[in-house]
Amino acid sequence: MEKTKGISRAQFLAGAAAVGVAGAVLPAGGAGAAGRGGLTRRGVVYTLGAGETPATAWSADRMRADLRAIRDDLHADTVDVTGDGVERLTATAAEAAELGLHIWLQPTLGDVPERDILDHLAETGRFAERLRRQGASVEFSVGCEFWLFVPGIIPGGTVLERIENLQNGTVDWPGMQRRLARFTAKAASLGRRVFHGRLSYASAPEIDHVDWNLFDVVGIDYYSYFPQRRDYVRELRQHLRWGKPVAITEFGTCTYRGAPEAGGMGWDIVDYDKTPPEIKGDPPPVRSERTQAAYLLDLLAVFESMDLYAAMVFEFLTADAPHRPGDPRHDLDMASYGIAKAVQDRPGDPDTGWHREPKEAFHAVARAYRRAGQRQ
């Protein structure tokens, strides 16, 4: 799903976690159990898709430049290559391997028949296995939040319809959980057949009730907000009970005051029924790159203190949500989880070229990753 009523797949990926709520083998405890302390892998989510306009269409050259920035400027050692399109996924994973990055490869195809989703998973997993056999550092995730992307688990023909049914409470919860468990087990079994390294899945724990015996790494998409860090620790500690490494497969927030409190629904400040789309509210939310940076640093400190296995910031960039300096009503980047922003050469022209610029969050995370890498 590239776009539904103007909201990108990446935005729904981030928002879904809040809906429904009113390498080397490590010891079970994660990095801390190995005696190192802190996270073992620090990364960022790099989302792939066809793009909503020709200007934001996937580009191999742009991908290569982005991955170099992830390694050299962000000081990440891991990249979560996610999205759809086997050619995009495999080309990006291969480039990341060439750069020496650890690869968390995760196909995410939605709103197509189950067979197509499984075929897409299998083909991507076979490539991950080839990379692994060639010596690349790679782990494979069979997907993300299947209840959202796989038709038939929750009623609704599209992501929007499924989210609406969840919000309205018009879901047979026991039946949904049975269907979700069935598909998750099927995906895990297929993943095991095509990939012989470590296997995982990116779950929204508020909705996914995963049998983590199926996987090697517990994967959590995490968008909680608490005023006190100890409350994050309390909530996250429950995921350690499986005795397996815990990876935070997504965490992040949008770029305005109050966004962390909105959790995974922070993206929902844009009225896409208007042309051009505009930020809702009178007055609109106040842009704040500092808010985004502070939230990410708080959570990184929590993850480090708990010696979790991995944490991956969501996300590197949302190209289809451009930043409009001086025009807060149309600054769609405020609704983006990206730690870099897309700036159009001719603001407001969707066909214009664009470039990316780092946000305060990019610099803050880069400093944290660099310091952590120096300690280890």
Side-chain angles (χ1 to χ4, degrees), residues 34-50:
R36 295 176 61 186
L39 290 162
T40 296
R41 303 202 182 279
R42 302 170 181 88
V44 66
V45 177
Y46 189 72
T47 307
L48 304 172

Side-chain angles (χ1 to χ4, degrees), residues 19-20 154 166 171-178 206-209:
V19 176
I154 288 176
L166 272 175
V171 173
D172 170 16
W173 196 262
M176 183 276 283
Q177 289 293 339
R178 288 192 297 271
E206 302 89 346
I207 298 175
D208 285 285
H209 297 161

